[in-house]
Amino acid sequence: MTDATLIVTLTAPPNGELSSLPAAVRALEVRADLLGDVDPDGLRQRFAGELIYSLRSRAEGGAFEGSPEERRRRLAGAARRFDMVELGADDLEPEVLAAVPPGRRLVSWHGPSPGLEGLRERWARLSSVEARLYRLAPEASRPEEALAPLRFLSGLGKRRDVLAFATGPAGTWTRVLAPRLGAPVACGGLTGNGSGDPTVAQLVADYGLPALAPIRELFGIVGRTAGRSLSPRLHNAAYRALGVEALYLPFPVEGFAGFWQEVVTGLDGLGWPLRGLTVTSPHKEAALALAGEASPLARQSGGANTLLRHDGCWRADTADADGVVKALERRRVPLAGMKAAVVGCGGAGRAAAAGLQRAGADVTLVNRGAERGAYAARLLGLPFIPLSELRARDFPLVVHATPLTAESPFPVEDLREGGVVVELVYGPAPTPLMTAARARGSVAIDGREVLLVEARRQFRMMTGRSMPAGPARALIGSPGERPC
């Protein structure tokens, strides 16, 4: 299969970013509805590829609100200066088609997900007009909706002039798979646009595009914030380095049951069986409940952050315990007899507490809500105190296992000087807790260190092979970098 062509969407004036685009980018789509009519000659001085003019209307998720006459005039003018012009369904009228030759037409539809049959109906309308390229981009609010454009592409055979993918955070993974179903291009932003759509740099760094290496099976991460995880970058780089024919994808999910019932089965139907999942908040308990079998540690902690599929059966396990314990062992922190407070009694916190308990630490559970804290205490047989009663200075080891990144769940000035602090979350900059811990001379282990341990453990569980450690550490970067 040939490589995909990469197209960058320009939604804001570029400030030098064009010079740093990956060499594989062959086209720049200029959103004139957001930028106004940009001079293409100026862009050509900084970008050698093709230029696409887009004047997307409000009806299709854009910002253009002018009259039909103004729209026809601007599209006709763009056809004389741009290599391609995007035409929406309402533009397919004789006057516009006469002004935009077939070889310069990108005929598109954008809108809320209409399902598979709805996409076929829209395709029937779009395909009645000759064009160089066709694009259908439904917005998906759930991963189940994101399957429709992939099923649509699969039903077309191997046409090389049709692109279909889902927009929005729930659809990132469809942009990666669509070229493997015949779509000739993959689209990404120049910079992050706040919508959750990937940048072209992410498509290259995290998923190896434009190359379309063969894949036999899929893995992924499922959770509310899966789209911000560094795990796809780590796993996919390791697959490429080791020649593993697999792909690791992000599945941002609010409802786990719908994902489990629709997406797993749907990917099987497309010929890409999903073999393993990293599970993050808030789905660890649901993952354990839906699995056919579970490891003792997953059952003890009442949640799973890893699902593995063997011979049609899903097994629940957890790497959260290893993530904390191994990270501490690598820093030569003696755990036997150490007083430890685990703040946060969700699935990750319970697994971390279970791992520390097994390593001989004297663990106390801490949680803001008493009900969840009491539940964790019953599961693990450990003492629990409300967050309001926590005196962090009383614990040589504090593990932060809540989702908070912009603030600490307890006063940072209450930390013990020279203690040990472990954090399971990570953000675009050092968190207040990590900053305070380092200022007090503590051993500070941030979420990226924990992630690296867990990712390597899960990689072995999923593939039976070792993730190359040096490249993986370089890929996750420092806490000052943006987690993608």
Side-chain angles (χ1 to χ4, degrees), residues 204-287:
V204 173
D206 293 8
Y207 307 104
L209 292 173
L212 299 174
I215 55 173
R216 295 180 180 272
E217 54 194 5
L218 297 177
F219 300 92
I221 178 167
V222 56
R224 182 172 290 154
T225 60
R228 299 200 298 267
S229 173
L230 286 164
S231 292
R233 180 178 299 178
L234 289 170
H235 286 259
N236 287 323
Y239 297 155
R240 294 193 296 271
L242 298 175
V244 176
E245 295 183 349
L247 196 61
Y248 187 103
L249 300 169
F251 299 103
V253 167
E254 288 290 338
F256 191 80
F259 167 82
W260 189 256
Q261 294 164 5
E262 298 290 335
V263 176
V264 175
T265 303
L267 289 171
D268 283 350
L270 292 172
W272 292 312
L274 193 59
R275 297 297 188 192
L277 286 167
T278 301
V279 184
T280 66
S281 177
H283 304 310
K284 297 184 180 186
E285 293 176 15

Side-chain angles (χ1 to χ4, degrees), residues 30-327:
V30 181
R31 287 288 303 276
D33 55 306
L34 301 174
L35 292 170
D37 281 340
V38 177
D39 177 18
D41 294 335
L43 289 176
R44 293 187 200 280
Q45 293 175 7
R46 292 177 287 167
F47 179 73
E50 292 191 301
L51 299 180
I52 303 170
Y53 181 89
S54 174
L55 190 65
R56 202 163 301 163
S57 67
R58 287 282 185 190
E60 293 205 349
F64 178 74
E65 294 180 321
S67 67
E69 293 76 16
E70 179 191 353
R71 182 173 183 82
R72 288 192 291 267
R73 175 182 58 78
R74 291 176 67 176
L75 292 175
R80 294 190 292 269
R81 305 187 68 193
F82 284 76
D83 300 289
M84 296 178 68
V85 177
E86 181 184 43
L87 301 180
D90 292 338
D91 298 319
L92 307 183
E93 56 182 38
E95 184 176 345
V96 175
L97 296 178
V100 184
R104 292 178 182 258
R105 296 173 190 162
L106 166 56
V107 177
S108 294
W109 173 83
H110 298 77
S113 177
L116 179 57
E117 289 307 313
L119 286 177
R120 287 172 175 162
E121 291 172 5
R122 284 154 179 80
W123 168 241
R125 165 71 170 136
L126 299 185
S127 61
S128 67
V129 173
E130 185 181 359
R132 177 177 167 186
L133 184 65
Y134 302 89
R135 174 171 58 195
L136 292 95
E139 181 179 2
S141 59
R142 306 187 309 274
E144 305 94 280
E145 293 178 340
L147 271 173
L150 296 184
R151 286 172 166 156
F152 167 76
L153 277 178
S154 179
L156 287 182
K158 294 298 181 180
R159 284 190 68 142
R160 296 291 297 166
D161 60 350
V162 183
L163 169 62
F165 60 89
T167 64
T172 295
W173 55 281
T174 67
R175 297 178 189 244
V176 181
L177 290 177
R180 291 176 165 85
L181 290 169
V185 302
C187 302
L190 180 62
T191 57
N193 60 9
S195 69
D197 290 337
T199 65
V200 74
Q202 282 178 266
L203 294 177
V204 173
D206 293 8
Y207 307 104
L209 292 173
L212 299 174
I215 55 173
R216 295 180 180 272
E217 54 194 5
L218 297 177
F219 300 92
I221 178 167
V222 56
R224 182 172 290 154
T225 60
R228 299 200 298 267
S229 173
L230 286 164
S231 292
R233 180 178 299 178
L234 289 170
H235 286 259
N236 287 323
Y239 297 155
R240 294 193 296 271
L242 298 175
V244 176
E245 295 183 349
L247 196 61
Y248 187 103
L249 300 169
F251 299 103
V253 167
E254 288 290 338
F256 191 80
F259 167 82
W260 189 256
Q261 294 164 5
E262 298 290 335
V263 176
V264 175
T265 303
L267 289 171
D268 283 350
L270 292 172
W272 292 312
L274 193 59
R275 297 297 188 192
L277 286 167
T278 301
V279 184
T280 66
S281 177
H283 304 310
K284 297 184 180 186
E285 293 176 15
L288 177 63
L290 287 170
E293 56 185 62
S295 70
L297 187 56
R299 292 203 182 281
Q300 180 187 3
S301 61
N305 86 330
T306 310
L307 288 172
L308 303 168
R309 189 185 200 181
H310 294 293
D311 298 325
C313 178
W314 286 91
R315 174 181 171 83
D317 209 329
T318 182
D320 281 326
D322 267 359
V324 172
V325 173
K326 297 298 183 185

Side-chain angles (χ1 to χ4, degrees), residues 391-468:
R391 290 171 53 88
R393 66 174 64 93
D394 293 341
F395 294 90
L397 170 60
V398 177
V399 177
H400 174 213
T402 83
L404 296 175
T405 57
E407 58 182 304
S408 171
F410 55 86
V412 294
E413 59 271 15
D414 197 32
L415 286 171
R416 172 189 291 232
E417 292 190 9
V420 182
V421 181
V422 181
E423 192 157 49
L424 304 192
V425 293
Y426 56 86
T431 66
L433 181 58
M434 286 290 100
T435 300
R438 290 174 180 132
R440 291 174 176 269
S442 298
V443 174
I445 300 175
D446 74 6
R448 293 176 188 243
E449 286 191 59
V450 177
L451 168 67
L452 184 57
V453 175
E454 292 188 13
R456 295 184 67 194
R457 168 70 174 143
Q458 289 177 325
F459 189 87
R460 175 166 285 281
M461 293 164 74
M462 291 176 180
T463 69
R465 304 180 69 173
S466 297
M467 177 183 285

Side-chain angles (χ1 to χ4, degrees), residues 287-377:
L288 177 63
L290 287 170
E293 56 185 62
S295 70
L297 187 56
R299 292 203 182 281
Q300 180 187 3
S301 61
N305 86 330
T306 310
L307 288 172
L308 303 168
R309 189 185 200 181
H310 294 293
D311 298 325
C313 178
W314 286 91
R315 174 181 171 83
D317 209 329
T318 182
D320 281 326
D322 267 359
V324 172
V325 173
K326 297 298 183 185
L328 287 164
E329 289 177 351
R330 290 180 179 184
R331 294 290 196 97
R332 295 181 170 82
V333 175
L335 293 175
M338 177 176 277
K339 286 187 65 178
V342 176
V343 183
C345 290
R350 296 196 303 268
L356 290 170
Q357 182 184 31
R358 290 187 174 196
D362 179 9
V363 181
T364 297
L365 299 168
V366 184
N367 202 66
R368 186 183 305 277
E371 184 176 351
R372 181 176 284 271
Y375 168 71

